Amino acid sequence: MKNILIPTDFSENALKAIDYGLNFFKDTPCTFYFLNVTPILNYAGGETPLITTNQTIEESLLKQSKLDLEKLLQKIENNYSNPNHRFIALTSYDYFIDAIRSQVHDKEIDLIVMGTKGASGIKEVIIGSHTGDVITKVKTLVLAVPDKTNYTPPKEIVFPTDYNTFYPTKILNTIIEFATRHNSSIRILHVAKKDEELRSFQLENKEYLNDYFVDIKHSFHRVTNKKIEAGVQCFVESRDIDMIIMIAKNLTLFQQIIFKPTVEEISYHTNVPFLVIHE
């Protein structure tokens, strides 16, 4: 049974993430933990947490959080009747990342599913600060779901790589797991500059990927572009890609594709989920 953590602030994007997670794993026995984090308040600009002696602030905030979670779970149970799934509500009064890390450890979480923006998300920002922090600071598999995503079983998954990294079997097995769950095809993409040729060790890594993915549908693709993020965007849009898989270790490639300042620069992030894999 998988343990899946879904942080929620009850925003529309958070509901999209819930819908995607429940549908993606509809045939898998799972325990879904829905976590609402009430952040610890600080004095304006200060470092000292605002906590009263009798904890009345915390109690009041958590009471509302529990009520909102009860309504959410009732809605989920009414709309997503599935004997494979079990739902548990969690509340926390803590710093956001500390709360996530605590639940990942305590509940032995296999995957975090979350929206890319929160309730106060700015339209010009592709990925909210909470999602960015989870991706970069919590060493757990993360499936990030943009606010315009409508769930469909993924037919094609793109895996961008420069072939400079020899990926351990744990990472490749995770890619295979996600691909085989819905019989998806893996499109291995290299964004190269004009006249750029692969070096010998890159060719070896490419051949290794070909051998490892031999039992699943996969293909290799090359796009010529000076900018990696632009090359990925062209490929995603031209092939109607359903999911992007990124390896967090390759931070340069990862940050170029994920952490862009405006949706105008990278429009496909408005509707394509991405899976971030840590070693």
Side-chain angles (χ1 to χ4, degrees):
M1 176 174 286
K2 280 191 172 294
N3 294 325
I4 299 176
L5 179 67
I6 305 186
T8 181
D9 56 7
F10 312 110
S11 64
E12 287 299 317
N13 192 193
L15 293 176
K16 287 279 188 178
I18 291 170
D19 179 72
Y20 196 95
L22 295 180
N23 280 295
F24 190 89
F25 293 98
K26 67 178 181 179
D27 297 323
T28 304
C30 297
T31 297
F32 287 92
Y33 294 93
F34 299 97
L35 172 65
N36 178 242
V37 180
T38 301
I40 292 176
L41 302 175
N42 290 339
Y43 290 108
E47 297 293 330
T48 306
L50 179 60
I51 303 176
T52 61
T53 306
N54 59 8
Q55 301 295 305
T56 53
I57 294 177
E58 178 179 352
E59 291 172 3
S60 176
L61 292 171
L62 287 180
K63 182 178 180 180
Q64 185 59 52
S65 175
K66 290 176 181 177
L67 289 173
D68 291 338
L69 279 170
E70 287 175 6
K71 293 178 183 177
L72 175 64
L73 257 63
Q74 187 61 55
K75 181 179 179 180
I76 291 171
E77 289 169 352
N78 290 339
N79 296 331
Y80 299 91
S81 178
N82 188 333
N84 286 320
H85 294 168
R86 185 166 69 110
F87 306 133
I88 297 176
L90 302 171
T91 60
S92 178
Y93 182 67
D94 202 346
Y95 297 107
F96 185 78
I97 287 298
D98 289 345
I100 297 293
R101 286 174 174 157
S102 176
Q103 296 300 334
V104 166
H105 177 268
D106 294 345
K107 304 300 188 296
E108 298 181 343
I109 296 299
D110 301 300
L111 169 71
I112 299 172
V113 180
M114 63 189 303
T116 55
K117 299 177 187 173
S120 59
I122 302 172
K123 290 184 178 180
E124 288 73 22
V125 177
I126 285 174
I127 184 167
S129 59
H130 279 169
T131 309
D133 283 344
V134 170
I135 289 172
T136 55
K137 298 177 182 179
V138 181
K139 305 303 180 185
T140 303
L141 198 65
V142 178
L143 179 60
V145 181
D147 57 336
K148 293 185 180 179
T149 299
N150 290 314
Y151 177 79
T152 55
K155 296 178 180 179
E156 296 205 356
I157 298 174
V158 65
F159 172 34
T161 178
D162 54 14
Y163 300 120
N164 284 318
T165 301
F166 180 84
Y167 299 109
T169 57
K170 180 180 178 182
I171 285 178
L172 299 182
N173 287 341
T174 299
I175 296 174
I176 290 173
E177 177 195 345
F178 269 75
T180 56
R181 192 171 297 279
H182 294 283
N183 197 29
S184 309
S185 299
I186 298 177
R187 307 306 180 193
I188 303 162
L189 174 65
H190 178 219
V191 179
K193 296 178 181 178
K194 186 178 180 180
D195 299 326
E196 179 182 340
E197 298 293 335
L198 294 179
R199 289 167 285 182
S200 59
F201 71 90
Q202 290 176 299
L203 290 170
E204 290 174 3
N205 288 337
K206 180 179 179 180
E207 186 60 33
Y208 176 72
L209 289 175
N210 190 42
D211 291 340
Y212 207 92
F213 292 145
V214 67
D215 293 326
I216 61 174
K217 293 182 292 185
H218 71 281
S219 57
F220 292 88
H221 304 266
R222 173 188 171 108
V223 171
T224 301
N225 202 298
K226 293 180 180 180
K227 294 184 177 182
I228 294 175
E229 65 276 11
V232 174
Q233 178 173 359
C234 288
F235 187 79
V236 166
E237 294 178 344
S238 66
R239 293 194 62 102
D240 200 20
I241 293 294
D242 302 298
M243 182 181 291
I244 304 169
I245 289 183
M246 297 297 305
I247 312 302
K249 180 180 179 181
N250 193 344
L251 287 177
T252 301
L253 179 63
F254 175 74
Q255 289 172 335
Q256 282 178 288
I257 293 176
I258 299 300
F259 294 103
K260 295 298 295 180
T262 66
V263 283
E264 286 75 14
E265 291 184 54
I266 219 166
S267 61
Y268 61 81
H269 274 160
T270 59
N271 56 16
V272 180
F274 52 89
L275 178 71
V276 182
I277 304 175
H278 293 268
E279 287 190 284

